Amino acid sequence: IYVEIEPVKHLKIRGQMSMDVYNFTRYSFSDYDGSVFNYTAGDMSVATNGNSVGSYEEREVFNNNYINEINVNYNNSFGKHNVDLVFNGSDQQYNAKYKGASTQWMQSKLEYMRRIGGEPKYLSTGSDMSNSALEGLMGRVSYNYNTTYYLDVTVRHDGSTRFSKEKRWGTFPSVSGAWRISKEQFMQSFKFINDLKIRVGYGQLGNQEVRDMAYLSPIDNRPIFAWGTDPSRIGMGNKYVGATVYSLANANLQWEKTSTKNIGIDATMLDNRLSMSLEYYNKLTDGILQTVTLPPSLGLIQSPVDNIASVRNSGIELSLNYSDNIGELKYSIGANLSTVKNVVETTSGHIPIGSIEEGYSMNYIKGYKVGGIFQTQAEVDAWKAKNSDDTYQAAKVAPGDFYYLDQRSAPTKPNTFYKDSLDNKINSYDQVYLGKTIPGYYYGINLNLEYKNFDLSAQMTGVGDVQRVNSVKQTLYNVGTTNANMSVDVLNAWTTQNKSTTLPRAINGDPAGNYRFSDRFVESGAYLRMSNVQLGYTLPVQVYNLLHNSISNCRIYAGASNLFTITKYSGYDPENDSYPTPKTMFLGLTVRF
C-alpha cells in the first residue's frame, strides 16, 4: 500500500508499506508397512520393538518480511539547467520461526487419531528462530546542462543486523559525469556522427549476504553427557543435556565493499545505422564474505565467516550493432566482447585459503603436474635414486606409471607456505597452479534478417582463456580404484606391447597414484556455441482478408537452441558436465485475433 502526494509543483513524496507473510504447516505420516516395498528402508518397526504402526510429524514454519519506505523526489528545469533530487529511506524487518515435533509411537493408522504423543523416548521436538533487519538512507543529486554536461552524486548509508553494532553501518558513495561532445559547435562538421558521449564514474556498493549473527558464537543445547552413577543404567551414569559452542565468533565481520571505476564512450553514426559502446572498468571487491574451513581438530560444527580477501576485476566491454537494408532485405548484425582480468590482491593475514591465493585468479585449479610415463625399469630405478613421492607405494612402482614434477619445497621461514626451490620430494607442496576457472573473455554475435514475410535470427555465444576440470575423464579413466564403467579409451592403456605416453598401465589399487588430481584432467574450457537460431514466416495480409480479418497476425516458425558447440573440451559440456546443455528443436505458431 502506498500514498503519494505533490505538496508543491515538481515535488513528490511517496510513502509505501509492504509485507510478505508466509505460513507453512505440514502433517506427515509414514506407514511402517510401506517399508516392505522399499528394499533400502529395512524394517522400520524395529525401532519400537514392533509396538508401533508408523511415525508421525507436525511442522510449522512462519516467515514475515516487512518493508517501509519513503521516497522524496524533486525534478525541475530552469532554462537549460535540469535538476533531479532524490531522497530515499527504507526499513526492512524479517523474522522467521520454525517448530517441529515427531513421534515414532503410533497405535493407529486412522487419520483422526494422529497426534503427537506416546512414550517419551520416541518423541522428538525442536524449534528455531531467526531475526534480521536492514535500514538504508540514500541521497542523489543529478544535474545536466542542456543535455550536454551531466553530473550525478549519490550517497548510501546502510545498516545491517548481520554485523556487530561497531561494524553495522556502511557508507557507499558514487559519482559520475558525462559529456555529450556531439552537441558542441566544433563537432557540427562531422556529419556522419549522430551522437557521441564520453562518461566516467566511480561508485561503491556494499554486500551483507552472510548468515544471521555470524559475528556471535552460537550455542547448541543438544549435546548429551553422562555423569555419576544410575542404578537402573549400570555403567551408563545419569544422563544430562549440556551445551556447546559450535562455531567461532568474529566481532570484526563487516560489509563487503565493491568499488568500481569506469570510463566509456557511446556513439551512434551513419544516420543511426551504427551504434557503439566501449568501456574500461576496474572493480575492487574488498572484504569478501565467505565461510572459512578450519581443521576438524577444533571441534566446530559450523564453519565461521570472515572477510577473507580482496579481489580485483578489470577489463573492457565493447558492443557494436549495425542495421541497414538492401532493397527489401532488412538486416542487422551485432557483436559484443567483455574481457576479465581477475586477481586476488590480498587475503586475510596473507594466508592462502584453498585456491584463493594472492597473485592468482579466484578459485584457480590446483594440482600436480605430470612429467611423463616410465617406459622401462631402468627409468624407474634412476628416478627413485634421486626422488621420492609421498603417494607412491615405492616397491610397487613399475614401467607404465606416471612420474610427477618437483615444483616446490616445504617452507623454512615463518609466515610462508612453501619455497620455490626444489627438494626432489613429491608431496602436497608440489600442487601448483594449473588453470583459471574465470574466463578471460566472453563474446557474442547476433544476426537478424527480414525479407518480405520471412525472418531469420541467430545468436552465438562463447568464452575463452579458461580452463576446467574434466570430471568425465576423472570418472571414466579411473581403472585403478573403481569397478564402475570405463571409457573405451582405457583399452589403449600402457602395456609392454603398447607403450603409451598418455595413459598409464591399468592396475588394481593404483600403487603409483596415477589417478591423483593432476594437469592430465585439466583442459581448455573455451567454446563457441550456436545458442539459438529461428526461421519464421508471417502470413500476408491477403490471407487475413480472406478470413474476414478474424485473425490479424499469424506467424509460423521453427528453430533450435544449442544447435552445435565448437570446442576442444573432451567432456560432455564445456559449461557443465553434470547437467549438459540440451539440444532443443522446436516448431511454433503465433496467432493474434
Side-chain angles (χ1 to χ4, degrees):
I1 184 173
Y2 73 91
V3 174
E4 184 173 285
I5 62 174
E6 190 172 357
V8 296
K9 192 175 181 181
H10 306 297
L11 176 65
K12 293 183 179 180
I13 303 174
R14 178 187 174 107
Q16 179 172 301
M17 299 174 61
S18 63
M19 66 173 67
D20 184 6
V21 179
Y22 170 75
N23 298 328
F24 172 81
T25 306
R26 174 182 175 179
Y27 305 95
S28 175
F29 173 71
S30 178
D31 189 337
Y32 285 163
D33 287 342
S35 63
V36 174
F37 304 101
N38 186 344
Y39 74 94
T40 62
D43 185 359
M44 305 297 290
S45 63
V46 171
T48 58
N49 298 316
N51 294 318
S52 176
V53 297
S55 60
Y56 178 63
E57 179 191 30
E58 292 184 6
R59 183 187 301 175
E60 291 183 331
V61 178
F62 304 92
N63 283 280
N64 303 298
N65 189 24
Y66 304 99
I67 300 176
N68 300 314
E69 190 171 5
I70 184 169
N71 192 78
V72 181
N73 176 235
Y74 179 78
N75 189 308
N76 202 358
S77 297
F78 307 92
K80 295 183 178 181
H81 302 274
N82 304 287
V83 179
D84 188 20
L85 308 176
V86 175
F87 169 79
N88 178 273
S90 63
D91 172 83
Q92 181 176 3
Q93 305 284 337
Y94 173 81
N95 61 79
K97 188 172 180 64
Y98 160 85
K99 295 187 294 182
S102 64
T103 179
Q104 292 178 299
W105 188 264
M106 292 295 292
Q107 299 301 294
S108 173
K109 298 182 182 181
L110 297 175
E111 186 173 350
Y112 65 87
M113 294 290 290
R114 296 172 188 170
R115 57 179 57 86
I116 303 296
E119 295 224 9
K121 64 180 177 180
Y122 299 124
L123 290 175
S124 177
T125 61
S127 65
D128 199 3
M129 62 190 303
S130 63
N131 300 279
S132 64
L134 182 65
E135 290 186 351
L137 299 172
M138 186 274 287
R140 187 183 73 215
V141 178
S142 299
Y143 168 81
N144 80 75
Y145 175 76
N146 195 29
T147 64
T148 304
Y149 309 103
Y150 297 81
L151 179 65
D152 287 88
V153 179
T154 304
V155 177
R156 287 199 63 89
H157 190 56
D158 297 316
S160 171
T161 58
R162 294 184 177 179
F163 307 108
S164 65
K165 290 183 179 180
E166 293 76 16
K167 306 290 185 179
R168 184 154 294 171
W169 288 90
T171 301
F172 312 104
S174 67
V175 59
S176 64
W179 177 23
R180 177 164 276 115
I181 306 176
S182 55
K183 294 199 71 172
E184 300 292 352
Q185 188 63 37
F186 63 81
M187 290 291 297
Q188 302 310 306
S189 59
F190 298 95
K191 301 298 183 182
F192 66 93
I193 297 178
N194 303 106
D195 189 53
L196 180 62
K197 182 171 67 176
I198 295 177
R199 48 187 169 79
V200 295
Y202 168 82
Q204 192 176 79
L205 290 174
N207 175 32
Q208 54 110 33
E209 292 305 318
V210 69
R211 66 173 180 261
D212 292 335
M213 299 183 182
Y215 62 92
L216 296 176
S217 295
I219 297 176
D220 190 345
N221 62 355
R222 287 176 292 182
I224 297 174
F225 68 97
W227 187 264
T229 60
D230 181 352
S232 65
R233 303 171 69 246
I234 302 299
M236 300 295 289
N238 293 288
K239 189 171 66 174
Y240 295 94
V241 177
T244 182
V245 174
Y246 64 93
S247 188
L248 295 178
N250 184 359
N252 292 319
L253 200 66
Q254 57 187 315
W255 285 87
E256 175 185 308
K257 296 182 179 180
T258 299
S259 303
T260 304
K261 303 172 185 176
N262 68 292
I263 180 169
I265 181 169
D266 303 312
T268 57
M269 296 172 281
L270 306 178
D271 295 327
N272 296 313
R273 295 193 300 272
L274 175 64
S275 62
M276 181 203 71
S277 179
L278 175 63
E279 178 179 304
Y280 169 78
Y281 68 92
N282 193 311
K283 182 194 306 185
L284 177 66
T285 302
D286 188 28
I288 291 176
L289 292 168
Q290 187 167 305
T291 56
V292 179
T293 301
L294 295 177
S297 57
L298 289 175
L300 301 179
I301 298 174
Q302 189 177 60
S303 297
V305 180
D306 196 10
N307 299 98
I308 65 165
S310 297
V311 178
R312 187 177 300 277
N313 289 279
S314 60
I316 63 168
E317 295 182 346
L318 171 67
S319 66
L320 291 167
N321 289 278
Y322 184 81
S323 59
D324 203 351
N325 66 281
I326 302 173
E328 293 187 73
L329 175 64
K330 298 178 182 178
Y331 65 92
S332 66
I333 185 170
N336 60 78
L337 172 69
S338 297
T339 68
V340 181
K341 182 181 179 182
N342 175 272
V343 179
V344 176
E345 295 207 336
T346 60
T347 58
S348 181
H350 305 289
I351 301 171
I353 306 169
S355 292
I356 302 175
E357 186 176 351
E358 292 181 2
Y360 291 90
S361 177
M362 191 83 168
N363 296 316
Y364 70 89
I365 303 171
K366 187 176 186 179
Y368 295 96
K369 284 191 174 183
V370 173
I373 292 179
F374 294 122
Q375 299 296 330
T376 65
Q377 186 61 44
E379 290 182 9
V380 175
D381 296 339
W383 192 90
K384 284 183 180 180
K386 295 181 180 180
N387 305 279
S388 65
D389 189 324
D390 288 354
T391 307
Y392 280 174
Q393 298 176 35
K396 296 182 179 180
V397 176
D401 287 329
F402 279 127
Y403 61 90
Y404 295 86
L405 297 180
D406 184 15
Q407 301 283 309
R408 294 169 173 168
S409 56
T412 55
K413 295 181 179 179
N415 300 318
T416 60
F417 304 95
Y418 53 80
K419 288 197 307 183
D420 289 325
S421 59
L422 307 184
D423 58 1
N424 297 324
K425 297 178 182 179
I426 309 301
N427 50 35
S428 59
Y429 294 111
D430 296 300
Q431 296 187 55
V432 295
Y433 174 91
L434 300 179
K436 58 193 184 73
T437 58
I438 299 175
Y441 57 90
Y442 305 77
Y443 61 98
I445 303 169
N446 62 81
L447 173 68
N448 292 279
L449 302 174
E450 291 184 23
Y451 179 72
K452 295 184 178 180
N453 291 54
F454 290 93
D455 62 88
L456 174 68
S457 63
Q459 293 86 38
M460 301 184 75
T461 57
V463 301
D465 188 23
V466 62
Q467 291 73 44
R468 63 169 290 116
V469 176
N470 190 329
S471 58
V472 177
K473 185 181 288 187
Q474 274 187 299
T475 303
L476 298 183
Y477 281 43
N478 195 357
V479 297
T481 59
T482 179
N483 295 320
N485 196 11
M486 296 289 112
S487 168
V488 294
D489 291 347
V490 302
L491 295 174
N492 195 38
W494 190 97
T495 65
T496 53
Q497 292 76 35
N498 177 46
K499 294 191 174 184
S500 172
T501 57
T502 56
L503 290 174
R505 63 179 179 142
I507 179 172
N508 188 44
D510 189 26
N514 290 325
Y515 296 95
R516 73 186 77 177
F517 183 74
S518 65
D519 56 349
R520 66 183 292 237
F521 299 119
V522 179
E523 299 180 9
S524 170
Y527 68 87
L528 173 62
R529 172 169 287 162
M530 177 60 78
S531 302
N532 189 68
V533 61
Q534 186 177 134
L535 176 65
Y537 177 75
T538 302
L539 296 180
V541 67
Q542 293 87 343
V543 176
Y544 311 136
N545 293 335
L546 289 174
L547 296 175
H548 304 290
N549 294 315
S550 56
I551 61 174
S552 59
N553 182 273
C554 181
R555 179 175 176 267
I556 306 167
Y557 59 91
S561 297
N562 305 306
L563 188 60
F564 62 83
T565 302
I566 301 172
T567 182
K568 293 182 179 180
Y569 181 69
S570 63
Y572 294 142
D573 189 296
E575 285 189 307
N576 193 321
D577 281 330
S578 299
Y579 301 96
T581 305
K583 182 186 297 182
T584 306
M585 309 289 186
F586 54 86
L587 294 170
L589 176 67
T590 303
V591 181
R592 184 181 301 130
F593 296 93

